Amino acid sequence: MAHKSGTGRYVLKFISGRYQGGEFALDMNKELIIGRSSELEMVLIEDMVSRHHAKITTTEDEITIEDLGSTNGTFVNGEKITKCKLKEGDRILIGTSIIKLVFEEFDASQPPPPPMSSVLAGEALVEVEEKPVLSLSSGAAKRVAQHGATSHGNTQSGVLSGVIDQVPLPDLLQLFGASKKTGGLFITTPAGTEGIIYLREGRVYGAVINHNYDVPVEKSVYRIMAWTSGNFLLDTSASYDFKEPINETVESMMMESMRIIDETHAIGDDVPPYDAIFRIDIPIVPKLRDLSPEQLDIFQLALNEATMEYILNNSTMDDIETTKAVVHLLRNKYMVLANPD
């Protein structure tokens, strides 16, 4: 399959799951069968993978993937497929592995890199690069440990893990919704903020941030969806009995969260992050009488506990109006960021 950028090869990169970090180079004009059977070229040892799960076919003109009647299905960019064409950047879900199709260029003046191993089996990985991985915060780590899994989920077939820098949360939830996953999606940001989105048969029924179950589920979902960096782990055995659960499709939650994210971006580049801490200097120079009643309420919350999380959780306004009030207070020097970095 020709590539406009020049000489190179297509590679399947495992960006989540048991084989995270592994790579598999595709040969042109060949068929690649993926499955659990030991005689195959690409062997994925896990319960959710069928013996002969999927087939990838490469020609000079295109790359296609076909499901081979697998029990749990094959998904491309969140859609369950029978057969479809692949393009660079597509994400494939097979079992608990999310695999990205990428193109790696060669320097035409240099000899091509050596071929990679053609087998993934058991715990073996090919071309694994050691990368620093964020550890789950204590709550999520303990929760997963209770079910006999490590923080990467490698000891349990019902656990899928990865990094949301590589697999954005909207893409993840679309995959889990389409594949009707059940369990808890644990997310931990670099700052240590922990969120969990609970799914039942691909539908969202609960969510929580930092174990604060008093916050409405919808607000927690929308806030988590704005996170762009950190670790994720889907534990299919996790559940929680919410007092006021919801029953929403992933698609509807995504649409509303995207609206909120867009409106938040429209406020400006100085919107503080969820883990922001503020400082209120005394004496307060700007006049309080210049604030609206709503802005005064937010300022009072900041006096009680000067964190973005506390303000959002205790404001009577929605997150957009609350954020606008916080930004107004920052821009007019009623308070400043205590952790600008």
Side-chain angles (χ1 to χ4, degrees):
M1 180 178 179
H3 191 276
K4 62 182 179 181
S5 300
T7 305
R9 64 182 176 185
Y10 281 91
V11 175
L12 299 174
K13 289 199 171 186
F14 287 74
I15 57 177
S16 175
R18 182 177 187 175
Y19 301 98
Q20 182 180 348
E23 296 185 355
F24 189 100
L26 292 176
D27 295 324
M28 290 297 98
N29 301 309
K30 287 191 67 176
E31 290 186 349
L32 171 69
I33 306 295
I34 304 169
R36 203 173 69 246
S37 180
S38 59
E39 77 271 7
L40 299 179
E41 226 183 331
M42 182 184 285
V43 184
L44 303 182
I45 306 297
E46 59 171 288
D47 294 342
M48 294 181 66
V49 175
S50 298
R51 286 181 58 79
H52 293 78
H53 195 106
K55 177 174 68 175
I56 293 179
T57 304
T58 61
T59 69
E60 296 299 328
D61 300 315
E62 64 183 20
I63 300 176
T64 61
I65 184 169
E66 178 182 357
D67 183 77
L68 300 178
S70 65
T71 301
N72 293 295
T74 302
F75 298 82
V76 175
N77 300 326
E79 298 291 330
K80 190 173 185 178
I81 62 98
T82 301
K83 184 177 182 179
C84 74
K85 293 182 181 179
L86 292 174
K87 62 182 184 300
E88 185 178 0
D90 281 348
R91 293 182 176 91
I92 305 161
L93 175 65
I94 295 178
T96 63
S97 293
I98 299 177
I99 308 164
K100 186 177 182 180
L101 179 66
V102 300
F103 184 81
E104 292 185 344
E105 292 189 41
F106 301 156
D107 183 345
S109 64
Q110 300 294 326
M116 290 183 288
S117 169
S118 62
V119 177
L120 290 172
E123 294 299 326
L125 291 178
V126 293
E127 297 287 310
V128 178
E129 178 184 355
E130 291 295 331
K131 300 176 182 177
V133 180
L134 298 170
S135 62
L136 292 169
S137 63
S138 59
K142 290 178 181 176
R143 174 68 185 81
V144 175
Q146 290 172 359
H147 293 271
T150 67
S151 61
H152 302 294
N154 288 338
T155 65
Q156 182 178 332
S157 62
V159 174
L160 183 154
S161 64
V163 182
I164 61 175
D165 308 59
Q166 298 177 338
V167 193
L169 280 176
D171 290 2
L172 269 180
L173 285 174
Q174 188 176 7
L175 283 168
F176 298 157
S179 55
K180 299 188 183 302
K181 296 290 187 186
T182 293
L185 176 61
F186 294 78
I187 307 102
T188 302
T189 71
T193 302
E194 178 191 314
I196 312 171
I197 297 177
Y198 288 93
L199 302 164
R200 185 181 292 120
E201 294 294 324
R203 297 176 72 91
V204 177
Y205 74 89
V208 63
I209 299 175
N210 289 338
H211 308 287
N212 191 339
Y213 290 91
D214 293 331
V215 178
V217 166
E218 294 92 334
K219 282 191 175 184
S220 294
V221 173
Y222 301 143
R223 293 172 191 174
I224 293 171
M225 289 287 288
W227 299 352
T228 58
S229 184
N231 273 17
F232 74 85
L233 183 149
L234 178 71
D235 182 353
T236 57
S237 66
S239 63
Y240 188 83
D241 186 14
F242 286 86
K243 292 180 180 179
E244 296 183 7
I246 60 175
N247 184 26
E248 295 290 339
T249 65
V250 167
E251 289 76 12
S252 65
M253 301 300 287
M254 285 176 56
M255 288 180 64
E256 179 62 12
S257 67
M258 292 301 104
R259 181 192 69 80
I260 293 173
I261 291 171
D262 288 344
E263 290 192 22
T264 302
H265 287 164
I267 296 172
D269 296 333
D270 51 351
V271 171
Y274 185 78
D275 59 353
I277 301 172
F278 307 112
R279 187 184 75 245
I280 299 174
D281 294 327
I282 303 297
I284 301 170
V285 176
K287 303 299 182 184
L288 294 179
R289 65 170 175 260
D290 293 336
L291 296 175
S292 69
E294 293 77 16
Q295 291 164 348
L296 274 172
D297 287 344
I298 298 304
F299 188 60
Q300 182 176 354
L301 289 174
L303 287 169
N304 293 337
E305 184 176 324
T307 68
M308 189 67 173
E309 180 178 5
Y310 177 85
I311 292 171
L312 285 170
N313 288 346
N314 292 276
S315 172
T316 57
M317 299 186 292
D318 64 31
D319 282 5
I320 295 297
E321 294 306 314
T322 299
T323 301
K324 288 180 180 178
V326 169
V327 170
H328 179 85
L329 294 173
L330 289 170
R331 289 174 180 172
N332 290 278
K333 307 304 180 184
Y334 288 91
M335 59 188 190
V336 297
L337 280 172
N339 57 343
D341 297 332

